[in-house]
Structure formats: C-alpha cells, structure tokens
Amino acid sequence: KKTHYFPHTVHYYSQDRNTCALLSHSVCGLAWSRWSKMSSSGWILAVCLVVLEGGRYAVWAEEGSGSERNCSAIPPYLPPTAVNTTLRLRDLRASMIPLNISAYIIPATDAHLSEYIAPRDARLAWMSGFTGSAGTAVITQNKAVLWTDSRYWIQAERQMDCNWELLRDASIRSITNWLILEIPEGDQVGFDPFLFSVDIFDIYNTNLAPAGRILKSIPDNLVDKIWTNRPPLPPDNPTHLPDSVIERTWPMKVDQIRAQISDNPYKPTAVLLSALDETAWLFNLRGNDIPFNPFFYSYTLLSMDEIWLFVHTERITEELKVYLNTTCYHSYCVQLLEYSSVRSYLQSYLQRPNVRVWVGTEYTNQALYELITPEDKLLTSTYSPVLTTKAVKDATEQHILKEAHVRDAVAVMQLLMWLEKKVPEGTENELTAAHFVDQCRSKQKNSRGPSFETISASGPNAALAHYSPSNETVRKLSVDEMYLVDSGGQYLDGTTDITRTVHWGKPTDFQKEAYTRVLMGNIEISRTIFPAGTRGVNMEMLGRRALWEVGLTYGHGTGHGVGNYFGVHEWPVGFQSNNIPFQEGMFTSIEPGYYKENDFGIRIEDIAVTVPATTKYGNNYLTFETVSLVPYDRKLINTSLLSPEQLHWLNKYYETIQSVVGHELERQGLKEEYDWMMKHTAPFLTAGASAVISSVTLLVTVLPSVLLHNLL
C-alpha cells in the first residue's frame, strides 16, 4: 500500500500499513511520531534520514523523471515498478543467525533447474522484486546484492528498491569473489541444494573452498519459511497426449533409454531424471504447474526392470493409473511415489548391492546428487540420455511441429496486418498488441495458449531484450518508432517462438542498416551447410559477422532448441558452448539482434529444423529449413547490403511462405490476410538500394482478385 506522507512531494512505500509501527525504534518510527511537530523542511529532512539509514526504506519522488531508480538522489527516486523489500530482508536475516551462516544464496530457479518457474518457486523475485528469468542474489546481514546479465540490467533498476545493489555480471566467479571479500575466512555460506545443479555447485565450491569459505547445504529453503503468502500448488492434474500426435508410445521410449543404459560401458543400473521435460517426454504426459510450460512436478528413477515416478500422487487420476499400468509390477509398470519422497527413496535404492545411478549433471540438483555415495555408485554425463534422445524429433514430431508453425504464422500475420491499420490512428499500445496476438493464436487449431509472456516493445523499450509490457511501463505504438514483437504459442502438436521487428513510418538510415545486418546474420546461419555433428557454437559467429563488420553486436544467445508442446527454450540444442552437436531432426531458433539503449531494438527470430543437404562431393551434410513463415519488414531492408546468395535465399523463403501459408490462409477463408501476405512476400529485385519489387508484381499483388481474373 502507498501511504502519502507529504502531499505532492514524496511517497513512502509500505509493505503493510503497520510497517512504521513495527519499526518504531528506527529513524522511520521517529519521523512518523514527530510528523505533526515538524515544519515542511524539517519533515523532508526526516525522510532523508530514513533514506540514509542504510538505504533500507523505499522513498518515491512524486514528480521524479525516468523509469529507473536513483538511490544516490536525496530523496532517492524509485519508480512505481520497484518493490519494497525491507521486511523480507529483515526476516530472512533473522533466520540466518541460528544457522550460523554469514551469507545466503538465492538463484532464480526451482528444484528441477527450470528456466521458467512456477509462481511458488519465484523466490528471487519475491525477495528482491526482480522478475527476470536469470539472476542470483546474495544476502548478508548488511548487504543484498543481485547479479544478472546485460538483458536484465535496466529491468533490475526498475524493479529493485534501494536495499539492493546491482552487479552487472552473471558469472559465478564474480559472486564468489564478492563473497570472499565480504565474509571472513572460515565463515559459512548457506544455500538450498535443490536449487543448485551438480555443475553449478562444483563451480561455487571450487572457487570458495580454497579461500576458506564453506558452503553449507540447507535443504529447508529459508525464503519459503518467511514467505507467508506463498502461492499453492496448482490444482490441475497431468494428462497424456492423444495418439494422433505420438509416434513412440511411452513403453517404446522406455525401451530406447534402457537400451542406452545397457549399452553404456560404465554399466549403470538406473538413470535418474530430474528435469521436468524429461519425465513429461518419457511418459507422453503434460501438465500445468508452470505458466506457459506444460510440465508437472516430477522425478523419475528408471532401471532395467523397474520404473518409479515421483509425483503428487493425489493428482494422478484413475485414467492415468490405467495408462501407466500402476497396478502391476513387471518392467513396464510405473510405481507411483510421493514427490517429496524422492530423497529417501533414492537413498533406499542406493542401499542395494551393485547399483550405479546415471545422472545428467546439468539438470540434477545437488540435493539428490550428494546422496549418491560412494563414488562407484555414480555415473555422470552432462545431459541424461533422455535429453539427448528427445532433442532429435521423430518423423511425426517433425511433421506436426511444422504444421503448428504454419497456423502460428497465420496468427502473427493477422497481428502485423492489424497493427499496420491501427497504429497510424494512435489507438494502440504495447499491451493491446500483445493481447491481440494472443487472441489470434487462441483461434487456431490445437491452441493451448502462449508459450511465454509476449515481448511487445516500442522504441526504447525494445532496447531491453527481454522486456514485457506492464501497466506502469506500457508505451503507445507510433509510426515514428520501431516496434519489436517476440511471441510464441503452445499447441497440442508443437511450440512456436518468432520475433519480428517493424517500422510503420520512415526509418533512419542507421535503423535500416542495423536491421539489414541482423537479417544478414539470420540468413547466413539459415543457409549454411555443415557436417552432421557440428556444434552450434562453431557457427554462431555467422549470425554476428555482418554486425561485427561495422562495430555492432548483441548481448544474448543466437539460438535455442524448441519442443513439441514443451518448453520454448529446450536444451540441449542451440548455439552455445554447452549445447550438443547438431543432428538431423533437431529444431532450433536463429535469432540475432541489435539494441541501441534508450532508442530501439531489433531482433529477427525464426525456428528452423536441421535437414540433409545435397553437396557436390560429400555426404552426411546438413543445413537448416526455416519453419517460421512470416515475412520481414520490407521497409527496413536495404538490399544493396545483401549478397546475391542472401537475396536468392530471401526470395526462395518468400516463395515458401506464399505456397505453404497461402494455402492455409485460403483454407481458413482469410482473403484480406492472404492479400497482405502476397504483397509483403513479393520477390526482391537483384539491384537497387532498398527493398524494391517490380511494378508488375506489385500490380498483381494489390489488384482485386476479380479484376485480375478479368485481365488474365
């Protein structure tokens, strides 16, 4: 609640109306008790004292400018998007004292190391106010610090109050160096082992142990203990996929993974699955525990002759029990165990003689890993056999995922056509655009909602790579600004993710050049031919080269895997150093960009599938087939920068859109959208300094179809 202390000058933001009473011995309490005895200037001084008292209390300037905090001002300026964390930090620090820890680490993940998490697992957001998907907080008795990468620096400055310090770095080395400087040798650093992967824990421990700082595992999360209104477990039950979208039944998938267990020369007896999409994929199940992601809380322990599924058993319907053969005990029967019993049951399995558990260290949490002793009972790989097997889509998965992208293209074209009409009228903003594309997708076959919160960003907001509009930050769409929309849909047969950047007015020469160079990077990766087994990191620079040539770049990854009605960011496919080599049948995004701070942002993102390439001499080569089928903004393309090969690729891509999406638009009876698509996919000429099309082609695309028929 906001309480007005001094009209038209400052606001004191309170977590509840009793904040000052609770802190009656603080400077805040002093200022409150003496308010009526002070002059205006004296009261302002008291407010300043509150601010200087460790920077603990959020003070908002009524007439401040800008959307980011300014904690050095007197009084500090905090935007309405910032969250008051004073009481939360006080309570957490109190809980640290009896545990004898000098610092506590809070990552932005859950017990399954998920990128997107349920509201009940958003501990970092609740403690700090920062809602970005990547970040780590460390809290000591006198400091609270957040580390995050360049995608989120501005967002963090908008959401955190002055209790917090932002360090513009995302590396664990930066965090551990800070801890070594801040806490004495021999002191303990607390952490929740469920929120640390095996690999992440090793990095922390390798950095801290030689310096005499001790990591202390605390399985009972300290934030959960003080989070009195923590969201409950969602009520929805898991469901199984219909046969129409499945080529491999779950027993067939079990056979695939068991074959890999059997063939492994290190002779594991079981594999432990911790990532949520591992269990969901293995059993062809989907859930609704995490917004935008069709997952449910689960672990699986799979041996050669037994299957244990750890879930909230009260949510497993009788139909699912029959589907999973839960009432029998042979090797294709699933034994249901309580989700919270995974640690105790794993311990009991490890008591058996001659067992060895195979874990993928990227997605197994330290809480389970630390139980697997002695070492001869453990086998590790970066990724589990389920994740590497799931990364290659079978023929059915490839077919239906392509179909989902065709229907998705219809929805995105409807958005772009609508914006072309409405933006000049000055009636739309970032939120209405985001809602409109959601509505368009909801009308498509097999729609299951968005695959993530739509990034709908105009002008300077688009310079934030992962910005999403809110009532406090929403910006009206204008013909004078560039607009970026990054959105996706969940469909029963696939997951989509696509970004388009447009300009409805007259872009500057620099905007056109930057856009064209981003497009060149997209095309260069899309058209490249490479040996099967090539790692994405070895091709990633193709997406940056055209930007690097003029001294531009971007601060995010160039691509990520995408699933079949799964997570929109699906590991381990992509262009980063820890992604697996590309094989035929993998789907990845290709998404270079450029962002000019406080001005505009550009990203062009498509999903592509790896397919065999025909070469003159060699075999076993691959290339990418783009399955996102929405035209780029002609107004922003400077064709004089494109090579003949890039221009040829672009024209062939537009031919595919006309053929594939054109058929779907006609099938859905969307005549206006069809005409819009034909106009925006007219072929480019090979000469000229802008995105020109022949007058004959333009005439054909804009003439009414009846008149055209008469002319022909």
Side-chain angles (χ1 to χ4, degrees):
K1 179 180 177 179
K2 257 181 194 173
T3 306
H4 294 262
Y5 273 3
F6 191 65
H8 313 304
T9 305
V10 293
H11 289 164
Y12 174 85
Y13 186 89
S14 167
Q15 182 170 302
D16 58 55
R17 68 180 63 195
N18 297 316
T19 299
C20 281
L22 290 170
L23 301 173
S24 58
H25 297 294
S26 69
V27 177
C28 177
L30 177 65
W32 175 256
S33 65
R34 298 183 180 178
W35 176 30
S36 60
K37 302 176 183 178
M38 291 184 181
S39 65
S40 296
S41 58
W43 200 89
I44 293 173
L45 176 61
V47 173
C48 293
L49 289 173
V50 172
V51 176
L52 294 173
E53 163 79 354
R56 294 185 297 156
Y57 304 107
V59 179
W60 274 254
E62 175 76 19
E63 297 178 356
S65 61
S67 58
E68 299 174 33
R69 64 180 185 162
N70 183 356
C71 295
S72 62
I74 300 178
Y77 172 72
L78 291 175
T81 49
V83 174
N84 179 17
T85 63
T86 300
L87 293 183
R88 300 170 190 185
L89 288 169
R90 182 201 65 181
D91 292 344
L92 184 74
R93 285 165 173 151
S95 71
M96 292 165 56
I97 294 172
L99 294 170
N100 194 30
I101 56 175
S102 298
Y104 189 65
I105 305 173
I106 306 174
T109 189
D110 61 14
H112 305 275
L113 295 314
S114 307
E115 177 185 7
Y116 295 96
I117 57 179
R120 64 185 279 104
D121 292 319
R123 300 175 179 92
L124 176 61
W126 186 78
M127 280 302 305
S128 68
F130 170 67
T131 60
S133 64
T136 303
V138 175
I139 296 168
T140 66
Q141 287 299 327
N142 57 9
K143 291 187 178 180
V145 183
L146 172 77
W147 284 260
T148 191
D149 62 60
S150 60
R151 295 172 298 166
Y152 296 112
W153 292 342
I154 295 176
Q155 180 178 338
E157 296 286 8
R158 291 177 173 181
Q159 294 182 319
M160 296 193 304
D161 66 7
C162 289
N163 289 303
W164 288 84
E165 178 184 354
L166 173 65
L167 290 187
R168 299 175 183 242
D169 195 326
S171 68
I172 296 175
R173 169 66 69 178
S174 173
I175 299 172
T176 54
N177 285 346
W178 185 91
L179 284 165
I180 291 168
L181 290 173
E182 288 293 326
I183 67 173
E185 185 174 356
D187 278 20
Q188 298 185 110
V189 178
F191 74 102
D192 180 348
F194 281 101
L195 305 184
F196 275 57
S197 72
V198 176
D199 290 341
I200 294 297
F201 172 81
D202 282 345
I203 298 171
Y204 272 97
N205 196 48
T206 299
N207 291 343
L208 290 175
R213 277 69 175 177
I214 304 163
L215 282 170
K216 181 174 183 178
S217 176
I218 306 173
D220 295 325
N221 192 279
L222 299 188
V223 176
D224 294 352
K225 290 184 176 183
I226 65 171
W227 193 355
T228 55
N229 59 342
R230 185 184 177 204
L233 184 74
D236 298 2
N237 299 323
T239 58
H240 64 82
L241 292 173
D243 293 340
S244 60
V245 299
I246 295 173
E247 180 174 319
R248 293 171 286 182
T249 65
W250 72 259
M252 292 169 64
K253 291 181 175 179
V254 165
D255 284 342
Q256 280 187 281
I257 304 308
R258 281 176 169 161
Q260 294 182 58
I261 295 174
S262 178
D263 293 343
N264 192 299
Y266 297 97
K267 302 303 178 186
T269 59
V271 61
L272 176 64
L273 307 179
S274 294
L276 296 181
D277 57 345
E278 292 178 309
T279 291
W281 177 87
L282 184 66
F283 297 110
N284 291 325
L285 296 175
R286 299 295 186 268
N288 196 34
D289 287 355
I290 296 179
F292 310 116
N293 293 263
F295 302 141
F296 56 98
Y297 290 110
S298 58
Y299 297 96
T300 296
L301 185 62
L302 172 67
S303 74
M304 295 301 293
D305 51 12
E306 292 183 274
I307 308 170
W308 299 276
L309 173 59
F310 301 88
V311 291
H312 294 92
T313 55
E314 72 278 4
R315 305 165 76 190
I316 304 300
T317 63
E318 290 302 317
E319 179 192 6
L320 279 185
K321 289 178 181 178
V322 172
Y323 170 78
L324 295 170
N325 300 329
T326 61
T327 58
C328 57
Y329 295 96
H330 60 72
S331 62
Y332 295 101
C333 300
V334 178
Q335 300 176 47
L336 296 179
L337 297 168
E338 272 301 322
Y339 174 77
S340 59
S341 70
V342 61
R343 270 172 60 100
S344 60
Y345 194 87
L346 179 60
Q347 283 179 307
S348 67
Y349 178 78
L350 291 166
Q351 298 301 316
R352 300 183 184 185
N354 303 316
V355 297
R356 173 173 283 183
V357 179
W358 185 359
V359 301
T361 55
E362 279 280 342
Y363 285 98
T364 299
N365 62 53
Q366 180 67 18
L368 300 182
Y369 180 83
E370 65 188 13
L371 300 177
I372 307 176
T373 56
E375 193 167 318
D376 62 2
K377 291 183 178 287
L378 173 69
L379 173 65
T380 64
S381 58
T382 302
Y383 300 106
S384 79
V386 165
L387 281 182
T388 54
T389 303
K390 177 171 65 67
V392 179
K393 314 305 182 190
D394 61 37
T396 296
E397 290 170 331
Q398 291 183 47
H399 174 70
I400 62 177
L401 188 49
K402 289 180 182 180
E403 287 191 336
H405 278 85
V406 174
R407 301 193 305 275
D408 195 73
V410 173
V412 178
M413 288 183 189
Q414 287 177 316
L415 168 71
L416 296 178
M417 185 184 76
W418 178 75
L419 289 174
E420 232 177 60
K421 294 179 181 178
K422 302 294 291 185
V423 170
E425 299 174 5
T427 58
E428 306 307 325
N429 60 41
E430 295 166 336
L431 281 172
T432 60
H435 294 157
F436 189 87
V437 74
D438 289 346
Q439 292 171 6
C440 292
R441 284 194 169 98
S442 70
K443 297 174 184 177
Q444 292 299 318
K445 176 185 173 184
N446 291 337
S447 175
R448 294 297 185 272
S451 57
F452 57 97
E453 187 177 4
T454 296
I455 298 171
S456 174
S458 181
N461 285 342
L464 309 176
H466 281 210
Y467 164 87
S468 290
S470 66
N471 289 330
E472 292 81 12
T473 64
V474 65
R475 192 175 184 88
K476 182 176 287 189
L477 304 186
S478 166
V479 296
D480 298 321
E481 292 184 344
M482 295 184 76
Y483 172 69
L484 183 155
V485 56
D486 183 350
S487 65
Q490 290 287 11
Y491 301 89
L492 190 60
D493 47 352
T495 302
T496 68
D497 183 7
I498 183 171
T499 308
R500 290 294 181 263
T501 305
V502 297
H503 198 303
W504 300 287
K506 185 177 181 180
T508 66
D509 290 342
F510 176 65
Q511 288 173 333
K512 290 176 65 174
E513 179 177 2
Y515 181 94
T516 305
R517 290 185 178 277
V518 170
L519 178 60
M520 291 164 68
N522 184 298
I523 293 174
E524 278 304 287
I525 291 179
S526 300
R527 62 180 291 270
T528 192
I529 295 174
F530 55 93
T534 299
R535 291 183 175 274
V537 68
N538 295 329
M539 295 184 280
E540 200 259 1
M541 68 166 291
L542 294 174
R544 299 178 185 270
R545 184 170 60 185
L547 290 163
W548 285 354
E549 288 173 348
V550 292
L552 304 178
T553 191
Y554 52 94
H556 56 72
T558 300
H560 56 79
V562 66
N564 283 80
Y565 190 26
F566 263 133
V568 72
H569 293 167
E570 183 174 88
W571 288 80
V573 175
F575 293 90
Q576 299 187 49
S577 59
N578 57 349
N579 291 141
I580 61 176
F582 277 113
Q583 301 177 47
E584 180 183 349
M586 291 180 171
F587 283 76
T588 183
S589 73
I590 300 172
E591 50 180 304
Y594 171 70
Y595 310 89
K596 184 179 180 184
E597 188 171 344
N598 295 320
D599 194 348
F600 65 88
I602 299 166
R603 186 161 61 253
I604 299 174
E605 176 185 18
D606 294 310
I607 303 299
V609 57
T610 49
V611 296
T614 301
T615 63
K616 185 175 181 179
Y617 299 111
N619 298 316
N620 201 27
Y621 280 75
L622 300 174
T623 189
F624 292 108
E625 175 189 329
T626 302
V627 300
S628 300
L629 299 172
V630 177
Y632 311 117
D633 189 352
R634 309 184 73 87
K635 187 177 293 185
L636 287 165
I637 302 174
N638 182 346
T639 55
S640 68
L641 296 176
L642 301 180
S643 69
E645 294 80 9
Q646 292 166 347
L647 197 57
H648 174 73
W649 183 96
L650 186 56
N651 282 332
K652 295 294 290 184
Y653 174 61
Y654 277 7
E655 288 177 12
T656 301
I657 294 176
Q658 291 178 356
S659 171
V660 176
V661 186
H663 175 74
E664 180 65 20
L665 290 167
E666 289 181 317
R667 190 191 68 79
Q668 295 189 27
L670 299 173
K671 176 65 171 60
E672 187 178 5
E673 287 84 347
Y674 180 89
D675 291 342
W676 182 93
M677 180 273 298
M678 291 297 294
K679 174 183 175 181
H680 286 267
T681 55
F684 293 94
L685 297 181
T686 57
S690 60
V692 291
I693 57 176
S694 71
S695 58
V696 173
T697 303
L698 181 60
L699 181 67
V700 169
T701 58
V702 300
L703 277 176
S705 57
V706 174
L707 178 58
L708 178 62
H709 176 77
N710 292 335
L711 287 175
L712 297 176

